[in-house]
Amino acid sequence: MFLQQLINGLTVGAIYALIALGYTMVYGILEFINFAHGEVYMLGAYLGIIALGLLTQWGVTGWTLAPLLVIVFAMVWAAAWGGTIETVAYRPLRAAPRLSPLISALGVSIFLQNFVMLTQGARDQVFRRELLFSSDFNACGLSLASCTVSYTQLLIIGTALALMTGLTLFINRTKLGRAMRATAQDQRMARLCGVNVDGIIRLTFVIGSALGAAAGVLVALYYGVVNFHIGYVAGLKAFIAAVAGGIGSIPGAMLGGLLLGLAESFGAGYLSSQYKDVYAFVILIVVLLVRPQGILGNKRDKV
Amino acid sequence: MLRTMISLAAIACSLLAAGCNLGPKTVKIGVAGPMTGPNAKQGNDFLNGVQLAADEWNAKGGVLGRKIEVIPVDDRSDPKEAVMAANKLVNLGAAGVIGHYESSCTIPASMIYAEAGVVQITPSSTNPALTLDQRRSTVFRACGRDDQQGSMAATFVRDRLKLRKVAVIDDKTTYGQGLAREFERNLGQGIAVVAYENIQRGDKDFSAILTKIKPLAPEAVYFGGYYTEAGLLATQMRRQGVRAAFISGDATIDQEFLNIAGRDAEGAYLSYGPDVRKLESAKGFVAAYTAKFGPLGPYSLYAYDAANVLLRGIEAAQTAEGAKVAAAIHGLSFNGARGELSFDENGDLRNIPYVMWVVRNGAFEVAN
């Protein structure tokens, strides 16, 4: 049972971590919390359904690579949304007081929720997994002792790990990544050194949105049901994960996400399932009491 | 400024005067339920059923010599909204109300209707508290109760499936919890309830609970709750390797349950009324409804019957006054699309046999 709860927790945690990255990256650079990020994740889930629909129409769902295509489609499209949101809602407010972009973010969030509700309907949408995978993929998996690891869970953990590794390599090893770190440290200095700061900020939103969308598709794949208000709770939890891990810190967001997933899973399994949503907040309170900057956060980035 | 105020006051006065002159030209029937949100389909099924009944009556000249007007209100599956919706219908002067969908909405709203003396008939709320806790002459139920449903399911598990170990899960709603408790209470000696767990309505991940349940090896999982969570639960049970029969109640018998669970729904048992598609008395209704609105929802016919009961009550009482209509309904026996319907002193149907349904080849059918 312990092992099974561990796997369950890691699966959910990997998804929280992917979303949390979007919060933490934006905060690291702009010191502002992008409250619309949860909705971008929700958008990603819907884009996954749309991609699946397109693939079905073209008759290419049998491919082994089809799930990858769905994820990539959603990521690219959501990245475009992320870039656009930054240009429309946040860039004009770059010089405004810190509260203004925050309120703008809430506005974007309300807009996106209602946009999806009006265009896609208020009902639950079903992600038809059986179109994407051979016969009984959902129920299949590896059996280790008393523990079943479904292929869907492996797919989620694997994809999330791959994306997080890719992001870490990008930030630490590439020129653009270095420019991003420089912008996070000191915008003016970075600009003086020839970094295109506006471009970097947009890139941050683009990457964060793509990761959020990937999380959305993975969730649609895992649960099979999506609706227009899933962004709220998931966004809130991912935000908690980002803050607990140390907002502004990329490894912190990953750690925070996994920790949250594990806490929910073990809490529901060993304590009581009635209080599942409470565990996330308990973790947040404990972390903030003991280390106000978050587990891996800098002193500078106190929240 | 002063001039504006005077003209505004003048407009207000004339509006008031106009309002006084308008006598009731129509008989208003309220339809209350979730018209938007995740359960919007149920509310719209109600509306379609009632509209069909109203159209048929209007084609024959209406009731009390007046046309029937159907007024939908949205409770968004939220008890607070349900009370507001109820107040709205009372203020609009509804002669009767068909609704609401969920017990958690129907019960608080029923206080408003009862106080105003407006007849309320719910097509789908099965929690016993609605009619049994406090007897109100104007509250009726056009479906069965959870104690009847739960005991039927318990008997089915004990005598037909012959299972000895069950796990029970509910979603903490008035309906879900009530149903799950009735099921558990009726299991009797010899059947062990190895686990009793709760989930949160709207939650998507039940793997922690299922992991907890799995080593206890239940032969059946009974779920008290609605179709979305039921679909997710059935899927995740198979994913986690919980090999138990999935059994649930009437709020699960919806196409959406099949869509969400896909082939994991196969073999699920659900308690619900008899198959109306096979009833001779429902033939006309089914044909008219499908032609107009598409496939039948689980409560389309119940709403249609409820509307007919209300309208015949008004006709028999020769007034739209709530108390008299209610008395008429209590005293009558109706030939509904479901067959003969009559109400006992609590406002419950005298005879509502629940039967067990099963999912076979991606469709619901009565289990034999």
Side-chain angles (χ1 to χ4, degrees):
Chain A
M1 173 155 153
F2 176 81
L3 203 60
Q4 183 76 62
Q5 297 289 23
L6 186 76
I7 304 281
N8 297 343
L10 282 179
T11 315
V12 182
I15 289 168
Y16 288 153
L18 277 182
I19 313 172
L21 282 170
Y23 281 106
T24 222
M25 284 169 67
V26 167
Y27 188 87
I29 288 198
L30 288 178
E31 300 208 348
F32 127 81
I33 292 151
N34 177 16
F35 277 116
H37 189 58
E39 311 315 329
V40 175
Y41 147 85
M42 177 268 294
L43 211 60
Y46 273 90
L47 288 168
I49 292 181
I50 293 171
L52 184 62
L54 289 177
L55 286 185
T56 316
Q57 217 155 43
W58 297 331
V60 286
T61 41
W63 289 8
T64 328
L65 284 180
L68 194 68
L69 275 180
V70 172
I71 294 179
V72 169
F73 173 88
M75 283 177 75
V76 170
W77 204 250
W81 268 94
T84 315
I85 291 171
E86 195 271 328
T87 317
V88 174
Y90 305 141
R91 180 162 300 182
L93 299 171
R94 195 67 51 72
R98 284 182 64 168
L99 209 54
S100 309
L102 210 64
I103 291 170
S104 184
L106 292 175
V108 172
S109 162
I110 294 170
F111 166 77
L112 285 178
Q113 261 198 35
N114 287 283
F115 171 73
V116 172
M117 186 186 82
L118 292 174
T119 51
Q120 301 289 324
R123 304 199 59 202
D124 288 333
Q125 298 287 329
V126 177
F127 186 91
R128 300 186 68 93
R129 287 166 291 197
E130 62 271 25
L131 294 176
L132 206 51
F133 299 117
S134 56
S135 61
D136 223 357
F137 188 84
N138 174 48
C140 282
L142 309 171
S143 281
L144 309 158
S146 64
C147 150
T148 321
V149 189
S150 75
Y151 289 138
T152 329
Q153 285 177 318
L154 284 181
L155 182 76
I156 290 175
I157 298 177
T159 314
L161 277 182
L163 287 172
M164 288 194 261
T165 317
L167 179 73
T168 312
L169 288 178
F170 172 78
I171 301 258
N172 291 326
R173 298 283 168 82
T174 64
K175 223 174 149 183
L176 272 174
R178 196 184 322 141
M180 209 177 249
R181 279 179 291 147
T183 312
Q185 272 179 13
D186 189 333
Q187 274 193 32
R188 188 183 299 170
M189 195 59 207
R191 205 187 297 272
L192 288 176
C193 292
V195 173
N196 175 5
V197 170
D198 281 338
I200 291 294
I201 292 176
R202 172 175 296 162
L203 183 69
T204 310
F205 275 89
V206 163
I207 294 176
S209 303
L211 293 175
V217 178
L218 293 177
V219 159
L221 242 163
Y222 192 38
Y223 300 127
V225 184
V226 160
N227 53 43
F228 70 95
H229 49 78
I230 56 167
Y232 176 69
V233 173
L236 198 64
K237 290 208 180 139
F239 175 61
I240 293 174
V243 172
I247 195 144
S249 154
I250 286 174
M254 300 176 187
L255 185 70
L258 292 178
L259 200 66
L260 209 66
L262 289 175
E264 278 192 355
S265 174
F266 284 120
Y270 288 102
L271 299 173
S272 162
S273 54
Q274 297 205 31
Y275 296 106
K276 209 178 115 195
D277 288 339
V278 175
Y279 302 124
F281 294 96
V282 170
I283 285 207
L284 179 70
I285 293 169
V286 170
V287 168
L288 288 184
L289 282 176
V290 180
R291 257 181 87 84
Q293 69 271 38
I295 300 171
L296 297 180
N298 299 322
K299 275 259 153 35
R300 181 177 70 95
D301 295 326
K302 231 180 264 180
V303 183
Chain B
M1 188 62 200
L2 187 66
R3 207 186 307 164
T4 337
M5 281 176 77
I6 291 174
S7 56
L8 274 178
I11 292 172
C13 286
S14 58
L15 279 178
L16 277 176
C20 292
N21 291 337
L22 283 174
K25 292 226 168 72
T26 56
V27 173
K28 290 175 181 152
I29 306 286
V31 182
M35 302 293 170
T36 60
N39 299 315
K41 180 167 169 291
Q42 314 299 335
N44 288 300
D45 284 347
F46 280 12
L47 185 56
N48 293 343
V50 174
Q51 190 66 55
L52 192 63
D55 289 348
E56 287 172 8
W57 279 74
N58 279 336
K60 290 183 287 182
V63 71
L64 307 178
R66 288 185 263 157
K67 288 280 178 208
I68 297 150
E69 186 186 351
V70 176
I71 306 174
V73 290
D74 185 7
D75 67 19
R76 290 194 257 159
S77 294
D78 180 344
K80 290 192 294 291
E81 296 281 340
V83 169
M84 278 157 64
N87 276 315
K88 188 178 164 193
L89 284 177
V90 167
N91 291 337
L92 284 172
V97 175
I98 309 302
H100 298 215
Y101 170 61
E102 289 129 315
S103 297
S104 50
C105 289
T106 310
I107 293 173
S110 71
M111 323 243 173
I112 309 287
Y113 299 127
E115 199 170 292
V118 172
V119 174
Q120 176 191 17
I121 311 178
T122 173
S124 67
S125 295
T126 46
N127 191 288
L130 177 68
T131 49
L132 299 188
D133 270 14
Q134 37 180 321
R135 288 187 190 169
R136 294 162 301 191
S137 62
T138 52
V139 179
F140 297 90
R141 190 196 318 259
C143 56
R145 288 191 316 262
D146 287 336
D147 49 333
Q148 302 163 335
Q149 177 169 201
S151 79
M152 189 277 287
T155 313
F156 187 82
V157 166
R158 188 177 56 234
D159 299 342
R160 285 284 304 281
L161 299 178
K162 297 196 169 27
L163 305 180
R164 290 294 167 261
K165 277 163 84 180
V166 298
V168 182
I169 302 176
D170 77 48
D171 67 355
K172 293 192 273 184
T173 61
T174 311
Y175 161 76
Q177 196 164 47
L179 179 59
R181 292 247 167 94
E182 290 294 347
F183 171 78
E184 190 196 16
R185 201 169 59 82
N186 282 291
L187 279 174
Q189 299 294 312
I191 299 185
V193 177
V194 292
Y196 194 117
E197 295 287 338
N198 308 107
I199 59 155
Q200 187 80 43
R201 197 169 177 204
D203 204 353
K204 301 233 178 319
D205 196 324
F206 310 125
S207 52
I209 289 177
L210 292 170
T211 303
K212 203 161 146 188
I213 287 177
K214 190 181 166 192
L216 306 170
E219 295 164 304
V221 170
Y222 188 83
F223 175 61
Y226 295 86
Y227 52 87
T228 308
E229 286 76 23
L232 289 166
L233 205 56
T235 311
Q236 291 176 27
M237 265 172 64
R238 299 293 172 257
R239 184 190 293 154
Q240 297 276 343
V242 178
R243 281 177 233 298
F246 183 82
I247 306 170
S248 190
D250 57 338
T252 304
I253 197 142
D254 192 282
Q255 184 59 35
E256 200 75 345
F257 170 68
L258 301 178
N259 293 345
I260 293 170
R263 56 175 77 77
D264 298 321
E266 209 63 17
Y269 290 104
L270 316 162
S271 52
Y272 180 60
D275 193 347
V276 295
R277 293 167 300 188
K278 296 206 175 101
L279 287 177
E280 197 57 45
S281 55
K283 280 241 163 71
F285 165 78
V286 175
Y289 188 95
T290 358
K292 209 161 178 182
F293 306 111
L296 220 58
Y299 288 104
S300 309
L301 180 138
Y302 289 54
Y304 172 81
D305 269 357
N308 275 317
V309 165
L310 176 65
L311 290 168
R312 249 173 271 174
I314 293 174
E315 191 182 48
Q318 278 304 308
T319 167
E321 201 181 311
K324 289 181 183 152
V325 176
I329 295 175
H330 275 293
L332 284 171
S333 172
F334 303 88
N335 284 316
R338 251 179 307 164
E340 196 182 303
L341 305 173
S342 64
F343 294 88
D344 65 14
E345 67 280 8
N346 299 319
D348 278 322
L349 283 178
R350 277 188 209 283
N351 183 23
I352 174 80
Y354 272 106
V355 297
M356 204 44 114
W357 291 58
V358 65
V359 178
R360 212 165 275 152
N361 303 321
F364 297 113
E365 58 181 74
V366 174
N368 291 313

